[in-house]
Amino acid sequence: MSSNNDISRRGFVVTQVAGAATLAALPAGTTFAAVAPTPAAVPHAGPFNWHSSGAEELTAHLGRRFRFRAEDGQTAVLKLVAVEPVNSGPHRPADLPRKSGVIAVFDGLDKGPLVDAGSRTYRVSAARIGSADLMATPVRKRDGSDVIEIVLN
């Protein structure tokens, strides 16, 4: 375990981005059956939105390939390999478009130029999802390999 006091980008985001809405208290005597949604009551998941969708919506796209396009036209195709919800805590600004943050982790054979470029904005897209200009950052894993992370607040 490292005793390094430097804060990582992920650590900064987790400490700066704050948390979720307060749960409303249920009336006394309410049973789970009374509050559990029926299949007909659960809304159909809409299309993914880069600016407002959270971890649950993004998790549905695990294993999907995404195209990263730099301003100079260089492209790379990476697979979404992990989705990590950010436990934002009680200080999360209420006006943010999603209820909690999420970290999207990408990996693939094309990641070398993105790792070499450092933190940079890319146009990230996938079929039927659309695209968005997002900051992508290379992150070194414990095994010495790198992945590309996008933090969505």
Side-chain angles (χ1 to χ4, degrees):
M1 186 164 166
S2 173
S3 62
N4 187 352
N5 289 329
D6 290 338
I7 189 164
S8 68
R9 183 169 186 263
R10 182 183 300 187
F12 177 79
V13 169
V14 169
T15 58
Q16 295 299 313
V17 178
T22 306
L23 295 175
L26 294 173
T30 302
T31 65
F32 177 75
V35 296
T38 63
V42 177
H44 176 61
F48 181 78
N49 182 322
W50 283 109
H51 301 292
S52 62
S53 295
E56 185 175 314
E57 294 89 355
L58 190 56
T59 298
H61 300 286
L62 279 170
R64 179 173 280 214
R65 298 194 184 285
F66 290 76
R67 180 172 304 280
F68 287 68
R69 181 178 301 279
E71 290 177 359
D72 63 6
Q74 180 181 14
T75 64
V77 176
L78 301 176
K79 183 168 47 169
L80 180 63
V81 296
V83 174
E84 302 172 12
V86 176
N87 182 3
S88 302
H91 304 290
R92 182 176 181 82
D95 62 342
L96 292 177
R98 71 184 96 247
K99 60 185 173 185
S100 63
V102 60
I103 299 170
V105 182
F106 297 87
D107 201 356
L109 298 176
D110 290 350
K111 70 183 171 190
L114 279 72
V115 171
D116 294 341
S119 294
R120 188 172 172 185
T121 301
Y122 294 91
R123 166 102 13 194
V124 181
S125 62
R128 295 187 310 265
I129 291 180
S131 63
D133 294 328
L134 302 168
M135 175 66 75
T137 302
V139 175
R140 176 76 33 111
K141 295 183 345 184
R142 288 184 185 212
D143 67 3
S145 65
D146 295 294
V147 292
I148 303 298
E149 289 187 352
I150 294 176
V151 178
L152 302 170
N153 290 315

